Amino acid sequence: MRLRRAAVLVRAAPVCCAAMSALAMAQTPGRLQPPPPQSQSPPQSQSQSQSQSQSQSQSQSQSQSQAQVELGGRMGDRAVLVIEGRPHVLAPGASAAGVRMLRWAGDDAIVEREGQTYALRAGSAPLRLGVPGADLPALREIVLSAGPGGHFHADGAINGRAVRFLVDTGATYIAIGRDDAARLGLDLGRAQPLRMGTANGEVQAAKLTLGRVRVGGIELTQVEAVVLPAGMPTVLLGNSFLSRLQMRRDNDLMRLQAR
C-alpha cells in the first residue's frame, strides 16, 4: 500500500510543477504584453459636424437652384429650350423645369426663373441660371417688342415683388395704382402729397421713393414714383427710371441699355 501511494505521488509531481511554472511565468513582469492599441481617429467636435452638414446643405441647395438653359431654336411662336440637356418646346407663358418662356424680343427668347429674367439667343453659349454672373448678357440691355397698339410691356419687380410694366415715355414718374401699391406693401405714411393732372382731371397723388426697381436684368435703386388714388390695369414705367438708361427704338423693338 505504501508503494502504490508513493508511485502516485511521483507521477503527479510533474503535473503540479508544470502548473506552478506556468503560473510563475504569467506573474512575471514583462512576460505578457497587452495587444497593440488600435488606431482611432480623433473625435469630431459638434461644431465641425454642423459646419460640414451646413456646407453640404449649401452645396446641394446651390446645385438645385441652378439650371443650364440654352435656346435650341424657334418653331413659330414657340421656343425650343434645352434645359439640363433635355429639349422643351414652350409657347409664351408656358413653363418647364422651373423656367418660364415669357416672350420674344427680336431673335432673343426672354425667359424667367425664380423672379430673374434672362435673354437667350440661338447659337450662344448656354446660360447657367441662378449662378452669380450668369445673367450678365441681360444686364446691359433690355430688348422689348411692341405689343397690340404699339405699346411696350416689360416684366420686372418693385422691391423684389413681381410687376408688369407698361413703358410710358410721357410719364414723369413710375405710376402705381392704389391696389398695386397695397399689394407691394408700399408705406404711404411717409409719402409726399402731390397734385397731378391726369386724363380724368387733377388728382391727389402720393409721391415716394422706391428702394429697388428691376426691369428684365437691369435693376436701379432709389427711383421716384407716385401712387394714384384709383386702380390701374398696369404699372407705368416713367422717366424716373427710363431717363437713367439709354433708350433706342428700332421699328417694333425698343432697346434699353444701362449707362
Side-chain angles (χ1 to χ4, degrees):
M1 295 294 295
R2 291 179 179 177
L3 292 175
R4 290 179 181 177
R5 293 175 62 184
V8 171
L9 290 174
V10 171
R11 287 195 295 270
V15 177
C16 294
C17 291
M20 293 297 293
S21 176
L23 180 62
M25 291 177 63
Q27 292 178 348
T28 303
R31 290 294 183 90
L32 295 179
Q33 298 179 355
Q38 297 180 354
S39 60
Q40 297 180 353
S41 59
Q44 194 174 37
S45 66
Q46 185 177 2
S47 61
Q48 290 176 339
S49 300
Q50 292 177 349
S51 177
Q52 290 182 356
S53 299
Q54 290 176 355
S55 61
Q56 291 176 355
S57 301
Q58 290 176 354
S59 61
Q60 289 177 357
S61 62
Q62 288 176 355
S63 62
Q64 292 175 356
S65 65
Q66 300 171 5
Q68 181 170 292
V69 183
E70 179 182 5
L71 177 60
R74 180 171 183 171
M75 299 174 60
D77 200 31
R78 297 180 296 173
V80 181
L81 300 182
V82 182
I83 306 173
E84 294 294 341
R86 296 185 177 182
H88 302 269
V89 180
L90 301 180
S95 301
V99 178
R100 185 162 67 102
M101 170 62 183
L102 297 178
R103 64 186 181 278
W104 288 97
D107 295 329
D108 297 339
I110 309 301
V111 300
E112 182 268 337
R113 187 175 189 271
E114 296 182 353
Q116 295 293 322
T117 307
Y118 305 86
L120 302 176
R121 177 165 294 184
S124 299
L127 287 182
R128 181 156 290 278
L129 310 189
V131 179
D135 54 342
L136 287 179
L139 283 176
R140 303 306 305 172
E141 183 180 60
I142 306 169
V143 181
L144 305 177
S145 56
H151 299 296
F152 294 90
H153 289 85
D155 293 300
I158 293 177
N159 294 339
R161 299 193 177 185
V163 166
R164 179 73 168 167
F165 290 106
L166 171 64
V167 177
D168 187 352
T169 57
T172 304
Y173 308 104
I174 290 178
I176 307 170
R178 177 188 55 197
D179 296 337
D180 280 326
R183 179 180 65 84
L184 296 171
L186 301 181
D187 184 8
L188 301 183
R190 299 181 180 181
Q192 174 186 351
L194 179 66
R195 299 291 297 180
M196 291 188 61
T198 66
N200 297 324
E202 196 172 76
V203 298
Q204 182 73 31
K207 181 183 176 183
L208 71 165
T209 301
L210 304 174
R212 294 180 295 125
V213 177
R214 178 180 58 80
V215 179
I218 297 178
E219 183 173 277
L220 301 180
T221 60
Q222 302 300 303
V223 183
E224 291 184 322
V226 292
V227 176
L228 301 177
M232 296 175 59
T234 186
V235 176
L236 300 182
L237 187 65
N239 286 312
S240 57
F241 184 93
L242 297 173
S243 64
R244 295 165 63 177
L245 305 176
Q246 292 180 351
M247 184 170 55
R248 186 176 78 253
R249 180 168 178 173
D250 299 325
N251 297 324
D252 290 337
L253 296 180
M254 177 178 289
R255 300 181 182 272
L256 303 176
Q257 294 180 332
R259 294 184 184 273

